[in-house]
Amino acid sequence: MKRPDRPGPLSNNAGSSSSAAPQKGFDMSHPLSRRSAIQNIGIGLASVAAPTIWSGNSVAQDAYPGGKVVTLISPFGSSVDMFGRMVTEQLSKRLGGTFIVEQKLGAGGTIGTAYVSRQKPDGHTLAIVGSSSVSIAPHIYKNLPYRAQDLTYLAALMFGQSVLLVAPEKIKSLRELLELSKKRSLNFGSPGVGSGMHLGVERFTAAAGIANAVHVPFKSTEALTVALIAGDIDYYISVTSVSAALVKSGRLAALAVTGDSRSPDLPNVPTFTEIGLKDMDLPIFYGLVGPPGMPEEITARLVSTLQAIGEAPDFRAAVTRTGNVPAVMLGNAFKDFVLADMARQGALIKKLGIEPQ
């Protein structure tokens, strides 16, 4: 189904799905084709950064948020923090009250998500989630302190694309990479076993029919990039919003991107579909959730407000400037999407023999 040029009308019902279409690179009619940043799952200690505060007075304080501070936990850092600030600024303008963005980093976003899952379900503590914290984490952490399916899903507003990267001095095209795989064993990298980038590159390796390849995990994306340039690994997959600058500078070469259309950041790079590779749908999404059991009236108000934010031209333009794709997925539609992604990621993790830790 072709995407419309403009987003369609959306229901304010928290349980309804959205007909809004994202910008180029996505076919929203496919249940698993809304992508967002494959996120690194780095195991580490939680950190708490100084909060970013937005406050507004457009709504009487006797209604939600009722004069209380609303805290949005950002568990990933970097561009996700920016996304959180963009959302809280708009929530404050539309709902009034004070909204704080607070970092709780570590373990692929699970530390921040676990924190929110334990809070009162009154709508005053929310979290940003992505694939690592809700789709992948249930399969790689033995004692995950929350059930991803029990969270209150509000809306996903930002999606991303992934890109296959090689060192330009060594490999010029996918054909050359495949030819090289017939001559010797290849090494591919990721920032950790079970990370979103690891699962993405495993999916590519299988789809391309590369039979003899070895996974080499690194502690960070920076170390991964250095290893690729040095020739210690042959390829990896990353998020276009993170890697586009390295490609444009000539330090890395991009062979293909996910999505049904080319990335606006890398318009000369073909999609995996264009080069004949299927099963390369790698969902990258950023959305808001609350603790389990949030009241319907608060949930509905947040969902309708987030819908309006996601449809606003200025917000969509701001998301595009981050190198991601603006799109709206609401309530139960967002939850169903996550559950489908969770099942798909779980099947791959099981196939790879990755044991929960």
Side-chain angles (χ1 to χ4, degrees):
M1 180 175 69
K2 297 293 184 182
R3 62 172 180 85
D5 292 330
R6 297 174 62 87
L10 296 175
S11 168
N12 286 338
N13 189 318
S16 66
S17 63
S18 166
S19 61
Q23 295 180 351
K24 290 182 179 180
F26 293 83
D27 176 7
M28 296 294 281
S29 65
H30 192 286
L32 279 176
S33 58
R34 305 160 179 87
R35 304 164 178 82
S36 133
I38 295 177
Q39 302 143 4
N40 303 344
I41 297 186
I43 306 301
L45 296 177
S47 63
V48 179
T52 300
I53 301 176
W54 297 100
S55 62
N57 300 301
S58 59
V59 178
Q61 295 304 302
D62 57 350
Y64 176 81
K68 294 179 63 177
V69 173
V70 179
T71 302
L72 177 62
I73 300 300
S74 177
F76 301 113
S78 64
S79 63
V80 182
D81 277 355
M82 184 183 301
F83 169 70
R85 291 192 294 271
M86 290 158 48
V87 172
T88 52
E89 180 181 12
Q90 291 298 318
L91 283 170
S92 177
K93 288 179 179 179
R94 295 168 188 271
L95 294 178
T98 301
F99 287 74
I100 297 175
V101 179
E102 182 178 326
Q103 282 190 350
K104 288 188 181 294
L105 307 180
T110 62
I111 290 174
T113 307
Y115 172 81
V116 171
S117 73
R118 298 190 299 267
Q119 305 308 304
K120 292 181 180 180
D122 57 5
H124 290 91
T125 310
L126 308 173
I128 301 172
V129 294
S131 62
S132 66
S133 57
V134 290
S135 300
I136 298 173
H139 305 292
I140 65 172
Y141 294 111
K142 188 178 297 183
N143 298 310
L144 191 68
Y146 59 90
R147 282 168 47 90
Q149 58 267 44
D150 292 341
L151 298 170
T152 300
Y153 287 82
L154 301 172
L157 301 178
M158 187 169 79
F159 298 83
Q161 290 175 275
S162 302
V163 58
L164 174 64
L165 299 165
V166 295
E169 296 82 5
K170 300 174 175 63
I171 299 171
K172 304 296 184 184
S173 66
L174 180 62
R175 181 185 298 274
E176 287 189 15
L177 179 65
L178 297 180
E179 287 297 323
L180 185 62
S181 72
K182 297 175 183 178
K183 299 176 182 178
R184 64 169 175 84
S185 174
L186 299 183
N187 296 323
F188 63 86
S190 83
V193 174
S195 66
M197 290 172 66
H198 174 209
L199 299 181
V201 75
E202 289 278 11
R203 199 174 295 281
F204 161 73
T205 301
I210 299 175
N212 193 13
V214 177
H215 175 224
V216 183
F218 290 81
K219 291 184 178 181
S220 68
T221 304
E222 291 75 14
L224 185 62
T225 301
V226 171
L228 182 63
I229 294 172
D232 296 329
I233 58 174
D234 299 297
Y235 61 98
Y236 73 88
I237 280 181
S238 186
V239 184
T240 55
S241 60
V242 173
S243 304
L246 290 170
V247 174
K248 292 175 182 178
S249 70
R251 296 184 67 195
L252 299 180
L255 301 187
V257 297
T258 58
D260 64 317
S261 298
R262 296 188 180 193
S263 166
D265 280 343
L266 300 170
N268 296 323
V269 180
T271 66
F272 282 103
T273 301
E274 286 181 79
I275 60 178
L277 284 185
K278 299 180 180 180
D279 195 32
M280 282 304 297
D281 189 13
L282 307 175
I284 305 172
F285 56 90
Y286 304 95
L288 273 65
V289 302
M294 279 177 52
E296 183 177 348
E297 59 273 18
I298 294 178
T299 299
R301 186 165 193 195
L302 280 168
V303 168
S304 63
T305 305
L306 289 168
Q307 174 187 337
I309 291 170
E311 292 177 334
D314 57 342
F315 181 83
R316 294 174 67 86
V319 169
T320 301
R321 286 194 294 271
T322 69
N324 292 288
V325 178
V328 180
M329 195 189 306
L330 301 176
N332 285 342
F334 179 27
K335 180 177 181 179
D336 290 344
F337 169 74
V338 168
L339 293 179
D341 189 37
M342 187 189 302
R344 190 164 179 259
Q345 301 285 20
L348 178 58
I349 289 169
K350 183 178 180 180
K351 181 179 179 181
L352 294 174
I354 299 173
E355 295 293 333
Q357 301 296 317

